Amino acid sequence: MLVKLFLVFFRIGLFSFGGGYVMLPLIYKEIQTLSLIPVQEFSDIVAISQMTPGPIAVNAATYIGYKSAAFSGAAFATIGVALPSFMIILLIDSFFTKFKENKTVKEIISGIRPATVGMIASAVLFFAETSIFKGELSRIDLREPLKSVNLSALIIFILTIIGAKRFKLGPITLTVLAGILGGLIL
């Protein structure tokens, strides 16, 4: 189990460009495929990972590893997800100054950017399905769409966007306020 956890998270860490949110769809797929934890627990993992210090992917890997194989599982999953980035940064550091103006390198990075946005959008859709909508977006009855929406969660979502954009509230303030609202109205 420990080697499997390490290899799963090593692969996720190796093939995820763009940060923790890009890794979330890959982590979700792996927990589904390998039954590492109940799929329903994934939203909770992400919420906890955002509230705890550190990168979201590392926190999620640590949590999943711990739930799968206690402390050893947490260590193997965390090392697995972090090791590829560490190795890649060492490699990039040694070559970047030499190749930073290279046309091929610029084109590769330009190709990675839209894929990163797509993976982040995939994570957004997952969270919309598990928190705002009552199930998969593809199963919404368009004749009665409000039956498929958790209105309280939608209100919190909209207020969070307004708080962030209009009032420039920070993530900590928004999280605390959303938690209070959730306790009051959900």
Side-chain angles (χ1 to χ4, degrees):
M1 174 58 101
L2 295 177
V3 172
K4 180 172 29 172
L5 278 170
F6 175 83
L7 291 174
V8 162
F9 282 101
F10 184 84
R11 187 173 63 242
I12 289 169
L14 187 61
F15 294 107
S16 299
F17 296 95
Y21 290 105
V22 173
M23 291 181 183
L24 293 177
L26 299 172
I27 293 172
Y28 180 74
K29 179 180 175 272
E30 291 297 337
I31 66 167
Q32 269 186 317
T33 304
L34 301 173
S35 300
L36 295 173
I37 58 166
V39 174
Q40 300 83 349
E41 208 172 319
F42 187 69
S43 295
D44 297 336
I45 291 169
V46 176
I48 291 167
S49 296
Q50 287 180 313
M51 292 187 302
T52 53
I56 190 169
V58 172
N59 293 342
T62 304
Y63 182 92
I64 293 166
Y66 184 79
K67 292 290 273 187
S68 300
F71 182 79
S72 298
F76 274 72
T78 302
I79 292 167
V81 79
L83 189 59
S85 297
F86 181 74
M87 293 173 9
I88 289 168
I89 287 299
L90 288 177
L91 187 65
I92 288 173
D93 182 53
S94 63
F95 291 104
F96 187 69
T97 54
K98 190 177 187 180
F99 295 107
K100 70 180 176 183
E101 297 302 321
N102 183 293
K103 183 181 176 197
T104 304
V105 170
K106 286 182 178 182
E107 289 171 354
I108 289 170
I109 291 171
S110 293
I112 291 172
R113 283 187 193 124
T116 301
V117 172
M119 287 188 275
I120 292 171
S122 172
V124 169
L125 290 175
F126 167 79
F127 291 113
E129 289 175 341
T130 60
S131 61
I132 297 171
F133 297 97
K134 298 173 184 171
E136 293 181 22
L137 291 172
S138 61
R139 295 185 184 172
I140 291 177
D141 183 358
L142 295 177
R143 293 168 292 189
E144 298 182 77
L146 289 180
K147 283 188 174 182
S148 300
V149 176
N150 178 338
L151 290 176
S152 299
L154 181 61
I155 290 168
I156 293 172
F157 172 73
I158 292 168
L159 290 174
T160 301
I161 291 173
I162 292 169
K165 290 295 183 185
R166 183 144 200 264
F167 299 106
K168 307 292 187 220
L169 298 176
I172 295 171
T173 304
L174 289 169
T175 302
V176 170
L177 291 174
I180 292 169
L181 269 175
L184 293 174
I185 66 175
L186 291 179

